[in-house]
Amino acid sequence: MLNTLANHGFLNHNGKDIERKPLLDAFKSHLNFNESFSDFLFNFALTTNPTPNATIFDLDHLSRHNILEHDGSLSRKDFYFGNNHVFDQATFDLTKAFFTGPVIDVQMAADARKARMDASNATNPTFSLSDLGNGFSLGETAAYIFMFGDKVAGTVKTSLITYFFENERLPTHLGWHKPAEEITLDDLDNLSDRVFNATAGSPQ
């Protein structure tokens, strides 16, 4: 999502020196995240900056392996296979194979996430997933539902998600608008729990 905001110029386009206030402003203006949720995300992003006591971060820092970045991404290669920084179509093709209708529901989303984890575990000899990485993986799936769809129903149009991932841009030309209701940390927790509970063979 941060790459998308930078691509639109809502954050520093070069992805460097991202500060708290511009990030919180971008989250509020373009995604309607409330301040406490945005602070939560910003503070985790800071942990990827190798500089002690950092107050800014670069987008490249987010790709440092096994901090927040994790194996089994929905749209990027594992670190073991090379470039884990950029979108990989073949990886996302496996994810979207589980989006079998015009609307993605929580079960489809959970199945897609689990398939990526299973494929990564089967092919990557260094596969690992920390508790934090697992939490962020669940949250990433939850996030595309509540950012672009109905957080209560747990549904989102497939076309919006495909466009978002494949272009790293907001799907405004497809009729999407930022959520009218503020997005909170509780929304993240609630949908993450639903994804977890829908995952075959939980815990996962």
Side-chain angles (χ1 to χ4, degrees), residues 12-64:
N12 294 340
H13 193 69
N14 64 5
K16 303 289 187 182
D17 300 329
I18 296 174
E19 300 175 307
R20 177 184 179 276
K21 187 177 187 308
L23 181 62
L24 267 61
D25 288 346
F27 276 148
K28 180 60 180 174
S29 296
H30 303 290
L31 295 170
N32 204 12
F33 289 3
N34 76 356
E35 183 172 340
S36 60
F37 182 31
S38 297
D39 258 331
F40 168 84
L41 297 174
F42 177 73
N43 288 332
F44 266 111
L46 286 182
T47 67
T48 66
N49 188 333
T51 303
N53 303 313
T55 59
I56 60 174
F57 67 93
D58 297 347
L59 292 185
D60 284 348
H61 293 151
L62 301 178
S63 297
R64 295 179 64 212

Side-chain angles (χ1 to χ4, degrees), residues 184-200:
T184 70
L185 184 55
D186 284 344
D187 294 323
L188 173 67
D189 290 342
N190 290 339
L191 260 173
S192 294
D193 285 347
R194 291 170 67 182
V195 173
F196 175 86
N197 290 333
T199 300

Side-chain angles (χ1 to χ4, degrees), residues 5-177:
L5 294 176
N7 287 341
H8 282 283
F10 303 145
L11 297 174
N12 294 340
H13 193 69
N14 64 5
K16 303 289 187 182
D17 300 329
I18 296 174
E19 300 175 307
R20 177 184 179 276
K21 187 177 187 308
L23 181 62
L24 267 61
D25 288 346
F27 276 148
K28 180 60 180 174
S29 296
H30 303 290
L31 295 170
N32 204 12
F33 289 3
N34 76 356
E35 183 172 340
S36 60
F37 182 31
S38 297
D39 258 331
F40 168 84
L41 297 174
F42 177 73
N43 288 332
F44 266 111
L46 286 182
T47 67
T48 66
N49 188 333
T51 303
N53 303 313
T55 59
I56 60 174
F57 67 93
D58 297 347
L59 292 185
D60 284 348
H61 293 151
L62 301 178
S63 297
R64 295 179 64 212
H65 187 48
N66 276 347
I67 302 178
L68 305 182
E69 182 276 344
H70 54 82
D71 290 332
S73 165
L74 299 175
S75 63
R76 287 171 169 76
K77 293 179 180 178
D78 287 358
F79 177 78
Y80 174 81
F81 296 112
N83 190 343
N84 66 334
H85 299 266
V86 300
F87 173 81
D88 179 66
Q89 186 67 57
T91 299
F92 184 62
D93 284 346
L94 176 56
T95 298
K96 73 178 184 180
F98 288 82
F99 303 159
T100 55
V103 174
I104 301 166
D105 60 20
V106 168
Q107 189 62 62
M108 282 185 199
D111 290 346
R113 174 183 170 274
K114 186 174 188 298
R116 276 294 302 125
M117 289 293 175
D118 288 348
S120 178
N121 194 20
T123 59
N124 177 355
T126 66
F127 176 84
S128 65
L129 189 67
S130 67
D131 288 345
L132 180 60
N134 189 49
F136 265 81
S137 173
L138 289 164
E140 288 154 6
T141 290
Y144 72 68
I145 297 173
F146 65 62
M147 287 190 300
F148 300 113
D150 185 325
K151 67 182 182 181
V152 177
T155 57
V156 61
K157 290 181 179 178
T158 304
S159 59
L160 300 183
I161 301 311
T162 300
Y163 181 84
F164 165 68
F165 274 100
E166 293 184 341
N167 297 277
E168 293 190 315
R169 298 188 70 83
L170 298 173
T172 51
H173 77 291
L174 296 177
W176 173 81
H177 303 282

